[in-house]
Amino acid sequence: MKAQRAADAKKFEDIPNVGPRIARDFRTLGFSRPMDLKGKDPFMFYKKLCTKTKTRHDPCLLDVFMSVTDFMNGGIVRDWWYYTPKRKKLHPTI
């Protein structure tokens, strides 16, 4: 069962929209627990992951990162695709 509040997320997979692959991405970025994501910039996650893996990741990954940071900062649970229009507006070249 996914967390309904940020404080309830004990592991990355507890966060809505996060499965094993995204959890691994967070670990690759150097994070060890969900609360480490609070107050962070999702765009920087995306850029850093692309740099570390030497891969241009699907832009939808940024949508997921946006959903995660919003949730961890106290936002309500939303599907990752809710953030697609915002991402396209903020980062049209991705």
Side-chain angles (χ1 to χ4, degrees), residues 69-82:
T69 55
D70 187 41
F71 176 76
M72 293 308 296
N73 288 320
I76 63 171
V77 174
R78 296 185 194 270
D79 293 319
W80 63 266
W81 56 86
Y82 171 86

Side-chain angles (χ1 to χ4, degrees):
M1 178 120 186
K2 296 291 186 174
Q4 294 300 305
R5 299 177 313 127
D8 297 333
K10 303 303 178 207
K11 60 185 193 290
F12 293 119
E13 292 86 344
D14 292 340
I15 302 170
N17 301 309
V18 175
R21 177 67 199 145
I22 304 296
R24 188 169 44 244
D25 290 340
F26 286 131
R27 289 183 194 98
T28 297
L29 292 169
F31 298 107
S32 58
R33 58 193 180 95
M35 290 311 280
D36 294 340
L37 307 173
K38 189 174 181 176
K40 300 293 191 289
D41 179 357
F43 180 67
M44 297 312 294
F45 294 165
Y46 180 82
K47 280 181 53 177
K48 187 175 178 182
L49 188 65
C50 289
T51 300
K52 279 191 121 176
T53 61
K54 297 181 172 91
T55 303
R56 183 184 180 278
H57 292 273
D58 188 298
C60 294
L61 181 58
L62 179 52
D63 302 344
V64 174
F65 288 163
M66 291 170 72
S67 76
V68 167
T69 55
D70 187 41
F71 176 76
M72 293 308 296
N73 288 320
I76 63 171
V77 174
R78 296 185 194 270
D79 293 319
W80 63 266
W81 56 86
Y82 171 86
Y83 295 87
T84 303
K86 183 176 181 180
R87 183 249 310 155
K88 287 180 176 182
K89 184 177 180 180
L90 292 173
H91 306 288
T93 59
I94 293 180

